[in-house]
Amino acid sequence: MKLKGKVALITGGSRGIGAEIAKEFSKEGAFVVINYISNDRAAEETIEEIKAVGGYVIGIKADASDFNEAKNLVDSTIDKFGKLDILVNNAGISKVGLFIDMKEKHWDEMLNINLKSVFNLSNHVTKHMLANNGGAIINISSMWGGVGASCEVIYSASKGGIDAFTKALGKELAPNNIRVNAIAPGVIETDMNKWMNENEIDDLSNEIPMMRFGKPKEVAKLAVFLASEDSSYITAQVINVDGGMV
Ligand code: NAP
């Protein structure tokens, strides 16, 4: 077991990529805290699935984009488990559309949830990791953060911010044995892409060298690697899981 006895907090862990990371972490022996914003049912299903195979997991509902709620989330995790070894900043939203149709509220919402949440959680967690002399932070970015996507300008900007944040914080915390890396997924089969019809799915699949969307588990496997000692000399990196798309 690669994460035996480790405590991991995963934002947006109720569904999609975050839920799969929670399951894979649990299989590797970690105690898992699943954070989510509103979908109690999805969170309960993920929690039940993990418990059914003997995992230890709790759910905490909180808005990761709110600085104080993020602090409570971190404090509650440490109150419960006495420490926090792994943070996965996964919570995120997307909105597809022409840039000229985007309003200030879209910028604020996407930047707050996708990027400010990463600051919030990392800021609170780092203090504990420094005291513990180690830890791992994994940020879920997107391939669009590196190259930009038409009709996803704000989303791309939020993810590009995550990439720069990861590289900078990784360098700053490297002497303290805290590794900070990002995963940049391509198109992954989750609710985030449910808006596409079959033709759109086919067209997009044809643009991917592997000719298919990725599965949440294919992202989660990299998260396990980055959280574990297997990646002990890797920090400040953004690693793509995108079927060769960019
Ligand atoms: P998803 O299925 O839509 O799930 C989003 C998760 O984020 C849910 O657990 C949701 O909670 C949570 N969330 C949203 N706002 C939150 C907030 N303010 N505070 C706390 N939790 C919040 O998304 P996904 O596809 O798994 O995406 C996960 C991450 O991967 C995102 O950062 C996304 O940008 C990134 N990503 C996804 C893809 C893709 O193709 N799917 C590609 C590249 C990158 P509730 O269940 O309560 O709503």
Side-chain angles (χ1 to χ4, degrees):
M1 284 193 172
K2 294 184 172 175
L3 304 175
K4 197 167 171 46
K6 300 285 183 191
V7 177
L9 168 61
I10 301 159
T11 67
S14 51
R15 297 184 278 127
I17 292 169
E20 210 56 41
I21 292 173
K23 290 176 207 167
E24 290 297 318
F25 277 14
S26 177
K27 276 190 214 160
E28 295 293 343
F31 302 108
V32 176
V33 179
I34 285 175
N35 153 253
Y36 64 104
I37 180 84
S38 62
N39 196 331
D40 297 316
R41 191 157 171 198
E44 277 158 24
E45 277 173 19
T46 300
I47 287 168
E48 286 316 312
E49 217 177 303
I50 291 173
K51 283 185 175 166
V53 289
Y56 195 97
V57 56
I58 60 167
I60 302 179
K61 195 173 182 172
D63 182 354
S65 71
D66 181 285
F67 190 71
N68 294 322
E69 288 196 34
K71 182 174 189 316
N72 289 339
L73 182 54
V74 171
D75 288 348
S76 303
T77 303
I78 290 163
D79 284 350
K80 175 88 184 164
F81 296 102
K83 61 173 185 164
L84 211 178
D85 304 294
I86 303 159
L87 166 67
V88 182
N89 285 309
N90 166 78
I93 56 165
S94 73
K95 181 167 174 60
V96 176
L98 289 175
F99 179 65
I100 49 164
D101 293 332
M102 293 295 147
K103 310 281 182 241
E104 184 187 11
K105 69 171 184 191
H106 297 127
W107 175 269
D108 289 344
E109 193 182 26
M110 242 178 294
L111 267 289
N112 280 338
I113 296 176
N114 293 2
L115 185 56
K116 190 184 172 206
S117 68
V118 176
F119 163 75
N120 290 345
L121 271 299
S122 303
N123 187 265
H124 297 308
V125 156
T126 298
K127 289 161 194 150
H128 296 283
M129 288 183 174
L130 284 170
N132 268 0
N133 199 28
I137 298 174
I138 299 164
N139 300 320
I140 307 301
S141 179
S142 159
M143 62 179 171
W144 300 135
V147 298
S150 167
C151 294
E152 289 194 76
V153 172
I154 302 176
Y155 182 78
S156 300
S158 72
K159 296 299 186 177
I162 290 182
D163 292 356
F165 179 96
T166 301
K167 292 173 193 170
L169 189 64
K171 287 173 184 162
E172 186 169 322
L173 296 178
N176 302 96
N177 196 32
I178 301 169
R179 296 184 299 106
V180 187
N181 291 292
I183 297 175
V187 188
I188 308 297
E189 285 171 7
T190 70
D191 294 345
M192 195 172 265
N193 293 314
K194 281 259 164 76
W195 57 273
M196 284 184 236
N197 64 33
E198 283 209 359
N199 285 341
E200 287 166 328
I201 291 172
D202 283 348
D203 287 350
L204 188 51
S205 297
N206 284 332
E207 286 179 38
I208 302 169
M210 285 195 175
M211 308 285 286
R212 66 172 177 84
F213 289 9
K215 300 196 180 310
K217 186 174 275 200
E218 292 173 313
V219 179
K221 292 284 183 190
L222 178 57
V224 169
F225 173 70
L226 291 174
S228 77
E229 276 302 299
D230 285 352
S231 59
S232 53
Y233 200 53
I234 299 176
T235 197
Q237 302 303 308
V238 180
I239 303 174
N240 282 40
V241 181
D242 64 5
M245 193 164 178
V246 299

